[in-house]
């Protein structure tokens, strides 16, 4: 790790960050990861490994393991957690707007940046862009499963978790990966029935998967510690966005005052962060996320449809049954269910 990338000792990075001991630890974890079960990745620039039941790109797993000893969040920090393609972009926009609502909105970063560039992404930025983790904003994001979160996070900080009906999650993830790979490999997109991503998703071998186990980890934590873990379904957020914006503000210790509610501040946040408003911003139509990196991708890929039930346009009846059967088996004794799983 280059010394130029090491920030001054900040509030969230331990004293050993960037030291000789830290680099030795990183080397040790690289060696450990090389011995883990491996499969071909969706992203051709990363290897894909299984660790304690979940699948990770190697670089993200390295960061997650290093953070166990070298990441010190503030007690007031709030972590936005999710599996990929479950409403992360929307959740980031809403929570960022709640936190920054007293600032001049004409200068709000959401007008010039995709929401993902407004909030640090823990396992991506920890090793490659550590200075961003010392943001003054008390919001950080991750796709990591609950079981691998640093104990400093899971034991001390508030967590907001969003999930989505599994079939819609798969279809959204499939579209995203197709566009990501097409940009890198310069190959055309393939149709859903011509490749193996559906099988991999059902086997739990998607990024940060198994998806169902990812959801269950946070669900159980929310049942045990509801004052620290706010569990949110994408479908519920769509149905009552205003109500959940108010609940989120309360959970984040940023409740709306009576005066704010009287003049419609919560409604303004809902309107500014809805799909149409965000997707029509120029930065989200022509901008780029993480430019000049291996993760560079057009901001447009984060704004495909945002619809509930779009899976019906892509999955066969057999595919639907496969995912619903897994969902039923995984969630049957948990008390957790999704509307479309209940009615199919």
């Amino acid at each position: 790790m280059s010394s130029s990338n090491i920030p001054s000792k900040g509030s969230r990075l331990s004293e050993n960050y960037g030291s000789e001991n830290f680099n030795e630890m990183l080397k040790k974890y690289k060696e450990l990861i090389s011995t883990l079960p491996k499969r071909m990745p969706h992203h051709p620039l990363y290897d894909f490994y299984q660790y304690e039941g979940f699948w990770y790109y190697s670089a993200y797993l390295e960061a997650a393991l290093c953070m166990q000893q070298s990441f010190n969040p503030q007690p007031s920090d709030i972590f936005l957690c999710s599996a990929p393609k479950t409403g992360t972009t929307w959740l980031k926009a809403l929570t960022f707007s709640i936190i920054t609502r007293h600032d001049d909105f004409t200068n709000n970063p959401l007008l010039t940046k995709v929401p993902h560039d407004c909030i640090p992404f823990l396992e991506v930025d920890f090793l490659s862009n550590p200075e961003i983790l010392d943001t003054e904003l008390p919001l950080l994001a991750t796709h990591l499963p609950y079981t691998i979160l640093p104990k400093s996070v899971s034991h001390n900080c508030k967590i907001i978790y969003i999930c989505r009906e599994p079939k819609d999650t798969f279809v959204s993830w499939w579209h995203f990966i197709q566009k990501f790979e097409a940009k890198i490999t310069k190959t055309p997109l393939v149709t859903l029935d011509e490749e193996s991503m559906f099988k991999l998703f059902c086997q739990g071998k998607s990024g940060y998967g198994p998806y169902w186990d990812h959801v269950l980890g946070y669900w159980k934590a929310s049942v045990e510690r509801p004052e620290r873990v706010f569990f949110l379904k994408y479908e519920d957020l769509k149905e009552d966005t205003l109500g959940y914006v108010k609940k989120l503000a309360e959970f984040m210790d940023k409740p709306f005052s009576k005066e704010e509610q009287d003049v419609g501040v919560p409604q303004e946040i809902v309107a500014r962060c809805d799909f149409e408003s965000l997707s029509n911003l120029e930065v989200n139509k022509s901008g780029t996320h993480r430019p000049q990196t291996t993760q560079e991708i057009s901001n447009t890929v984060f704004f495909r449809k945002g619809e509930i039930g779009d899976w019906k346009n892509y999955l066969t009846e057999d595919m639907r049954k496969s995912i619903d059967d897994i969902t039923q088996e995984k969630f049957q004794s948990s008390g957790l269910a999704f509307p479309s799983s209940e009615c199919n």
Side-chain angles (χ1 to χ4, degrees):
M1 179 182 298
S2 170
S3 60
S4 62
N5 287 334
I6 301 173
S8 58
K9 290 295 185 280
S11 59
R12 295 185 179 91
L13 299 173
S14 67
E15 289 295 322
N16 78 329
Y17 190 97
S19 68
E20 184 175 340
N21 287 340
F22 179 87
N23 291 330
E24 283 297 318
M25 178 176 63
L26 182 58
K27 179 181 177 182
K28 179 185 72 173
Y29 285 135
K30 286 178 179 288
E31 292 172 352
L32 169 66
I33 291 170
S34 70
T35 69
L36 298 175
K38 176 181 177 182
R39 75 163 182 79
M40 292 295 291
H42 294 307
H43 191 312
L45 300 180
Y46 296 114
D47 292 322
F48 209 54
Y49 293 93
Q50 186 184 40
Y51 178 76
E52 295 187 348
F54 289 92
W55 289 90
Y56 305 87
Y57 293 127
S58 57
Y60 300 167
L61 182 53
E62 288 171 18
L65 294 173
C66 287
M67 282 189 290
Q68 302 298 326
Q69 302 175 42
S70 303
F71 183 67
N72 300 316
Q74 295 294 294
S76 59
D77 285 343
I78 300 168
F79 286 81
L80 309 179
C81 304
S82 62
K85 311 313 298 173
T86 58
T88 310
T89 306
W90 193 18
L91 180 63
K92 287 180 177 179
L94 289 171
T95 53
F96 186 86
S97 296
I98 290 169
I99 288 284
T100 62
R101 68 182 185 268
H102 299 299
D103 300 338
D104 180 5
F105 185 72
T106 60
N107 295 318
N108 194 294
L110 283 175
L111 297 175
T112 57
K113 296 180 181 180
V114 70
H116 299 288
D117 288 338
C118 295
I119 297 173
F121 189 12
L122 204 54
E123 62 269 30
V124 175
D125 292 316
F126 181 74
L127 292 178
S128 63
N129 192 25
E131 61 274 9
I132 197 174
L133 296 181
D134 277 326
T135 173
E136 294 182 5
L137 194 74
L139 289 177
L140 298 99
T142 183
H143 285 323
L144 293 175
Y146 186 79
T147 53
I148 202 174
L149 287 178
K151 295 297 185 292
S152 57
V153 174
S154 59
H155 289 183
N156 303 320
C157 299
K158 285 191 171 184
I159 291 170
I160 299 172
Y161 182 77
I162 189 167
C163 64
R164 191 177 186 183
E165 196 280 325
K167 298 186 294 299
D168 276 338
T169 296
F170 166 71
V171 168
S172 184
W173 173 72
W174 175 75
H175 277 283
F176 182 82
I177 293 297
Q178 289 291 290
K179 292 176 182 178
F180 210 4
E181 287 200 344
K183 179 188 77 72
I184 295 170
T185 63
K186 310 301 182 185
T187 57
L189 302 181
V190 299
T191 58
L192 186 57
D193 58 357
E194 288 178 340
E195 45 79 53
S196 61
M197 286 178 64
F198 178 79
K199 181 179 179 181
L200 290 173
F201 183 82
C202 290
Q203 292 175 338
K205 295 181 179 179
S206 55
Y208 303 94
Y211 175 66
W212 296 268
D213 295 349
H214 197 291
V215 174
L216 281 172
Y218 284 94
W219 169 251
K220 291 175 181 177
S222 73
V223 172
E224 294 170 359
R225 302 168 64 232
E227 76 285 356
R228 306 300 289 180
V229 182
F230 189 105
F231 188 93
L232 177 62
K233 297 178 188 176
Y234 181 84
E235 293 77 15
D236 291 340
L237 184 60
K238 286 277 285 187
E239 182 178 349
D240 184 16
T241 309
L242 179 60
Y244 275 99
V245 163
K246 293 178 180 179
K247 291 179 182 178
L248 286 169
E250 290 277 354
F251 181 78
M252 297 164 68
D253 296 321
K254 301 290 182 182
F256 295 102
S257 67
K258 182 179 184 302
E259 292 75 17
E260 286 179 312
Q261 298 198 51
D262 287 345
V263 298
V265 171
Q267 289 86 344
E268 288 182 13
I269 289 175
V270 171
R272 290 169 179 168
C273 296
D274 72 15
F275 183 86
E276 291 301 321
S277 296
L278 287 175
S279 62
N280 284 320
L281 289 173
E282 186 58 37
V283 65
N284 294 327
K285 292 192 292 185
S286 60
T288 302
H289 175 55
R290 296 187 182 271
Q292 300 179 336
T293 72
T294 57
Q295 298 151 340
E296 177 179 347
I297 194 166
S298 169
N299 289 343
T300 58
V301 303
F302 298 111
F303 302 93
R304 190 179 69 87
K305 285 186 178 181
E307 295 178 355
I308 296 173
D310 188 47
W311 63 266
K312 296 174 184 176
N313 297 315
Y314 297 92
L315 302 186
T316 65
E317 177 60 20
D318 285 343
M319 288 175 166
R320 177 204 66 78
K321 186 176 186 304
S322 293
I323 292 183
D324 280 351
D325 285 350
I326 297 170
T327 302
Q328 173 65 24
E329 178 184 352
K330 289 280 190 176
F331 293 170
Q332 61 181 345
S333 61
S334 68
L336 176 63
F338 290 91
S340 63
S341 295
E342 294 167 350
C343 64
N344 281 336

